[in-house]
Amino acid sequence: MYDGEFAAVVGPSGCGKTTLLNILAGLLPYRHGTVQVDGVPVKGPGSDRGVVFQEHAILPWRTVARNIGHGLELQGVPRQERRRRVREFVELVGLAGFEERYPHELSGGMKQRVALARTLCANPVIMLMDEPFAAVDAQTRITLQEELNRIAIATRKTILLVTHNVDEAAFLGDRCFVFTRRPGRLKATVTIHIPRDRRIWKEVVADPAFTARRDEILELVRAEVRVE
Amino acid sequence: MTRFGRGRLRRILLGAIPFLVLGTLWQMNAVYRWLAPIHMPPPAAVWSAIFTLQEGCPGLLDALRQGSGCLLTNHILSSMGRVALSLLVGLPLGIAFGVLAGIHRRLGNALEPVGVFANAISGIAWVPLAIVWFGVGWRTTLFILLNTVFWLVFFNTLLGVRGVPRVYEHGVLALGATRWKVITQVYVPGALPSIVTGIRMSMGFGWRALIAAEMIGGDRGLGFMLFVSAQEYKTEEVFLGVLVIAVIWMLTDRACLVPLERWTIERWGLVWRPS
Amino acid sequence: MSSLSVARPDLLRSARARRFWRHGGLELALVTLLALALWTAISASIARPDRYLPSPVSVLDSSRDLLWKGILPNYLGQTLWRLVTGSLIGIALGIPFGILVGLNRTVSEMCYPILNFFQSISGIALLPIVMIWWGTTEKTVFVVVLYTCFFPIAFSVLTGVRSTPRIYVNALRTLGASRLRIVRDVLLPGAMPSIATGARLSIGYAWRAVIAGEMLAGRRGIGWMIFSAQQVDRTAQVVLGMALIGVLWILLDRYVLRPIESDTIQRWGLVQR
């Protein structure tokens, strides 16, 4: 992957997308091949790779602010600096006013914003996202996708998104990696040439360039599902 | 706020009614002698038993210093001291081993059946063997209590740590946490509902075991007092002892365990799972 | 510059084989063997092992005599009989009491503290009083076990009934259901999980009360066996009795109480999150 890229991995369920992500994150050991970040092999989980999980992985016993600042706390950033950075990211994900709430008082979409802010706040080199919007309702998902796009522009992060949602992959990704069904292997790479700042749902659905790419990916994925 | 206050007042007043009814019946029994005083001593006799037991005790300071005349307070302090000591030792040990067994799969699998078995015979069944080992006295009763507390806390911590969703650990690891941080910031707070259950259960079973152990193999403490008084047919002292035990238990529950639960589990919105 | 490269992403199949080891049968066997070995070693290395810690072999040996004379089955039977009669009657009385009290908000608020009070006085603490009343008779043990069971279960049932969501009750009311119907169709099933959990807890307390009652009131049974064996210095019998108490409780809990509890929770449990 190159710097600042937004890559999306799509494939039928059970093809090992989540496993791939867990290996990249260093949470699972790998048998063959190598995983490197900036040329350094991955040995275990570390703060250079931030992960946003499928389920809500934010800690229920920490407030929103303490969850977002958790990464900085673990890196030993002093409190003043931490507070400043946390405020910045609270604003970025639009959670101002909710800093002192506990996660169980938030909606599913808000919890996922906290998870996103927590990962961003730790300032990783690359951000890995595992179906981050799978557990939220359709309207919220669309809003969050547009916001993720906005945040990706604002922070210029390198992001790898794993999803089974073809629309999501096509909407967010610069490049989409399509995987085969189990055992998952790379099947095709689809590049999407739409400028990032033009990616708004209302506009892209009317854009033939977008729909064509999306349908291409959809066909690739459906071919895999059909061969059950 | 006033509504809340009024509801609370209502509950207190309502809750007092059965106690008043029972107290009245008890006093009426003292007047009309339905049951003989040796079977059901009058309230006044139970009240004056306090002073009979504390006869040789000049003041509060002497009671705290466990002077020889302060029989009742000595027994109370002795029982409570053992409870405090066993919590002080048993709680950290139980939590530490429980966490260790909870995060290490092999160790957990090996220690779980040990915990099941130890909990099954914990408490009263150890008394005879403890008497063989430690003789009649405080060491036997302390052993019984410690044994009960440790295994219950250990077992519930183990279950609690196992129940913490893996994704919390992964999330914190991905932020760059060390193993130790994961334990203190994920496993211990995540297992807290279960740990608190363990503490509550260990207090419930522990007090019962302590009282029984003091009756059978003790030489001081409230259970011992009950037993000796019953043998001398001083029923008023037995009643007094039972009331004291109930009050102490309710106070510890109200003053320690309920606030602990409110400040952690309820505030975090965690679900209490009966183990 | 940041880059992330993956060579050969065909490694995505791992993690499944390890699940095989997860059930821990191997560990159980190992830990049992280890415990027995440790026990034997300690027993062999101390002075007067038959007084302080008889070896597993001599404990088994002591059971032969007891089994042959028929004492052991007799004791076990008596202890279990006390547990079953006392706790079943206690539960049978406690459930309707808890429901009746829980029906009405005022009544339940009134009874909550006093139930809590009696629940916190253990049956064992009452044993001396009951012994003054009825001496060292079978009745004494029975009453103590009954008492031990009654209050925890009544308390759990009350809590269960009160925590049944009001919408269910209101929904039935709008359908024109009678009070009895509401109890049968909503409150009883709603309280089922707490009844099951409360029953298991109170039988746990009752089990200990039976053992303690036998020791203190001198009624023949497994608790009395270990108590009297200690007094005549037969430690092997003490250890045997303890092991039996443990095994008996595990069997009871595993094969009777826990299945009942999980069945009721599965069947009636309202998913609460």
Side-chain angles (χ1 to χ4, degrees):
Chain A
M1 283 177 70
Y2 54 81
D3 208 3
E5 184 186 13
F6 199 127
V9 174
V10 249
S13 34
C15 75
K17 303 188 294 284
T18 299
T19 312
L20 166 72
L21 198 109
N22 282 342
I23 289 170
L24 296 182
L27 295 167
L28 282 178
Y30 49 94
R31 291 232 191 86
H32 315 283
T34 54
V35 179
Q36 294 182 339
V37 174
D38 282 344
V40 183
V42 164
K43 288 234 172 59
S47 57
D48 53 344
R49 285 145 294 138
V51 188
V52 178
F53 291 89
Q54 195 169 359
E55 306 136 83
H56 305 302
I58 54 173
L59 300 180
W61 41 89
R62 286 177 165 247
T63 59
V64 167
R66 298 242 303 142
N67 257 308
I68 294 177
H70 200 171
L72 299 177
E73 194 183 316
L74 290 168
Q75 289 164 18
V77 174
R79 178 171 305 208
Q80 287 300 321
E81 166 74 4
R82 213 158 70 207
R83 197 171 295 163
R84 199 182 55 71
R85 293 267 298 278
V86 167
R87 198 176 311 134
E88 183 186 320
F89 283 98
V90 165
E91 300 279 334
L92 183 73
V93 296
L95 279 174
F98 290 95
E99 290 92 336
E100 296 311 313
R101 298 291 185 89
Y102 283 93
H104 73 104
E105 299 168 304
L106 305 179
S107 68
M110 283 157 93
K111 278 185 208 168
Q112 220 43 327
R113 283 167 205 249
V114 176
L116 192 61
R118 176 176 80 167
T119 307
L120 282 170
C121 195
N123 198 17
V125 177
I126 177 166
M127 194 152 92
L128 308 168
M129 305 184 80
D130 181 10
E131 308 230 8
F133 309 133
V136 298
D137 61 78
Q139 279 79 20
T140 316
R141 190 180 306 143
I142 287 176
T143 320
L144 285 175
Q145 283 162 356
E146 289 182 347
E147 257 177 61
L148 177 60
N149 185 45
R150 178 176 61 76
I151 289 166
I153 298 169
T155 56
R156 293 200 195 84
K157 279 272 177 276
T158 310
I159 299 175
L160 180 79
L161 172 82
V162 161
T163 181
H164 68 262
N165 183 334
V166 173
D167 284 352
E168 183 168 288
F171 176 72
L172 286 165
D174 296 322
R175 266 196 300 173
C176 289
F177 301 101
V178 183
F179 271 54
T180 64
R181 77 203 153 85
R182 183 180 309 169
R185 282 162 198 279
L186 186 60
K187 185 182 187 186
T189 308
V190 179
T191 313
I192 295 159
H193 300 284
I194 300 175
R196 303 221 55 112
D197 52 358
R198 274 195 38 226
R199 298 194 185 196
I200 298 164
W201 271 112
K202 235 197 299 183
E203 289 185 19
V204 291
V205 285
D207 184 350
F210 171 77
T211 44
R213 299 280 98 161
R214 184 192 59 188
D215 293 344
E216 182 185 341
I217 302 169
L218 194 59
E219 273 314 303
L220 285 164
V221 175
R222 281 181 65 187
E224 284 306 315
V225 180
R226 223 177 277 144
V227 209
E228 282 298 317
Chain B
M1 199 63 212
T2 45
R3 258 189 74 107
F4 174 69
R6 207 176 293 160
R8 199 165 175 178
L9 188 68
R10 182 188 130 97
R11 266 204 301 279
I12 291 170
L13 288 179
L14 274 175
I17 293 174
F19 287 97
L20 287 176
V21 171
L22 270 187
T24 316
L25 278 176
W26 190 12
Q27 182 60 38
M28 276 166 77
N29 178 59
V31 177
Y32 297 108
R33 305 257 165 157
W34 298 315
L35 295 167
I38 188 133
H39 288 154
M40 185 62 73
V46 174
W47 177 251
S48 62
I50 300 177
F51 303 101
T52 321
L53 284 166
Q54 290 291 86
E55 214 164 26
C57 194
L60 190 66
L61 267 176
D62 217 48
L64 286 177
R65 239 180 274 133
Q66 310 214 9
S68 58
C70 317
L71 289 175
L72 179 63
T73 44
N74 280 359
H75 287 311
I76 294 176
L77 288 175
S78 159
S79 284
M80 286 181 77
R82 250 164 295 169
V83 170
L85 190 63
S86 63
L87 276 183
L88 220 63
V89 178
L91 218 59
L93 272 182
I95 293 176
F97 278 95
V99 170
L100 204 69
I103 55 177
H104 195 284
R105 205 184 64 251
R106 275 279 166 81
L107 199 64
N109 280 346
L111 288 182
E112 195 187 334
V114 178
V116 170
F117 195 68
N119 275 323
I121 46 175
S122 82
I124 191 76
W126 273 94
V127 173
L129 193 59
I131 292 176
V132 173
W133 287 348
F134 307 110
V136 169
W138 64 272
R139 267 175 290 174
T140 289
T141 52
L142 182 66
F143 172 78
I144 298 297
L145 188 57
L146 204 57
N147 191 34
T148 309
V149 171
F150 172 79
W151 287 109
L152 276 170
V153 173
F154 164 78
F155 197 64
N156 280 287
T157 309
L158 168 61
L159 294 184
V161 169
R162 274 203 193 146
V164 175
R166 268 293 130 106
V167 72
Y168 292 156
E169 180 196 349
H170 289 170
V172 175
L173 278 176
L175 291 173
T178 56
R179 198 95 193 112
W180 175 247
K181 290 274 179 194
V182 171
I183 289 173
T184 56
Q185 297 185 350
V186 177
Y187 282 123
V188 173
L192 212 59
S194 185
I195 294 177
V196 173
T197 309
I199 298 174
R200 282 197 110 142
M201 281 175 76
S202 70
M203 284 292 87
F205 280 107
W207 263 106
R208 285 162 166 76
L210 177 70
I211 300 296
E214 285 173 346
M215 285 183 193
I216 301 166
D219 59 355
R220 67 194 81 169
L222 281 165
F224 178 72
M225 186 187 107
L226 285 183
F227 191 65
V228 171
S229 304
Q231 280 192 323
E232 296 169 359
Y233 285 94
K234 291 181 186 161
T235 324
E236 65 281 358
E237 286 182 10
V238 181
F239 266 68
L240 178 67
V242 169
L243 288 176
V244 168
I245 290 171
V247 169
I248 291 177
W249 161 251
M250 287 180 90
L251 283 181
T252 46
D253 195 52
R254 270 296 138 79
C256 311
L257 300 177
V258 174
L260 180 65
E261 216 158 46
R262 193 164 301 149
W263 271 96
T264 54
I265 300 162
E266 281 176 33
R267 195 160 57 122
W268 300 336
L270 298 177
V271 190
W272 182 81
R273 290 163 301 222
S275 53
Chain C
M1 201 212 85
S2 72
S3 66
L4 186 125
S5 55
V6 180
R8 297 198 53 195
D10 60 338
L11 39 86
L12 312 176
R13 274 178 291 165
S14 62
R16 205 140 292 179
R18 274 179 291 156
R19 214 161 286 171
F20 172 75
W21 296 99
R22 213 158 251 188
H23 291 285
L26 181 71
E27 283 94 338
L28 177 64
L30 272 177
V31 83
T32 313
L33 281 178
L34 195 75
L36 285 176
L38 201 70
W39 179 3
T40 315
I42 292 175
S43 156
S45 64
I46 56 171
R48 300 185 61 195
D50 50 325
R51 181 179 155 86
Y52 290 105
L53 187 68
S55 70
V57 178
S58 56
V59 168
L60 267 183
D61 206 40
S62 78
S63 74
R64 219 176 32 190
D65 200 28
L66 289 170
L67 272 175
W68 187 66
K69 286 182 191 157
I71 297 173
L72 202 58
N74 182 16
Y75 281 0
L76 281 175
Q78 295 213 33
T79 303
L80 279 178
W81 176 245
R82 281 183 198 115
L83 177 73
V84 169
T85 49
S87 56
L88 279 189
I89 296 174
I91 288 171
L93 293 175
I95 292 174
F97 182 79
I99 290 177
L100 276 179
V101 167
L103 277 182
N104 183 288
R105 188 172 139 225
T106 311
V107 177
S108 65
E109 280 180 357
M110 200 164 85
C111 292
Y112 195 86
I114 197 145
L115 281 179
N116 198 7
F117 178 80
F118 279 114
Q119 193 197 3
S120 61
I121 299 179
S122 64
I124 297 166
L126 283 183
L127 199 68
I129 297 178
V130 184
M131 262 159 67
I132 291 178
W133 290 346
W134 291 306
T136 56
T137 58
E138 200 57 45
K139 200 172 167 187
T140 300
V141 181
F142 173 73
V143 167
V144 166
V145 176
L146 186 80
Y147 171 92
T148 306
C149 252
F150 178 82
F151 284 101
I153 188 82
F155 196 70
S156 312
V157 173
L158 172 61
T159 324
V161 169
R162 293 313 297 169
S163 61
T164 307
R166 301 310 293 168
I167 36 165
Y168 298 145
V169 176
N170 290 339
L172 238 74
R173 270 215 195 122
T174 59
L175 293 174
S178 66
R179 260 216 127 103
L180 198 69
R181 273 315 281 213
I182 292 179
V183 172
R184 218 188 67 188
D185 294 351
V186 179
L187 295 180
L188 193 60
M192 257 342 224
S194 10
I195 292 175
T197 312
R200 199 168 141 233
L201 183 74
S202 58
I203 293 175
Y205 282 134
W207 176 239
R208 286 156 173 83
V210 172
I211 307 282
E214 285 174 359
M215 286 183 186
L216 284 161
R219 307 300 303 180
R220 300 281 152 103
I222 199 92
W224 186 79
M225 184 186 103
I226 60 175
F227 185 62
S228 56
Q230 182 264 317
Q231 288 182 325
V232 294
D233 245 1
R234 288 203 184 131
T235 313
Q237 274 186 30
V238 175
V239 178
L240 175 72
M242 286 171 65
L244 279 177
I245 287 172
V247 170
L248 220 56
W249 175 251
I250 289 175
L251 290 180
L252 192 66
D253 192 52
R254 273 287 144 86
Y255 296 108
V256 183
L257 301 180
R258 211 174 286 191
I260 293 176
E261 187 189 2
S262 57
D263 276 2
T264 34
I265 288 180
Q266 233 165 51
R267 181 147 169 224
W268 303 104
L270 309 162
V271 181
Q272 285 163 341
R273 276 269 148 184

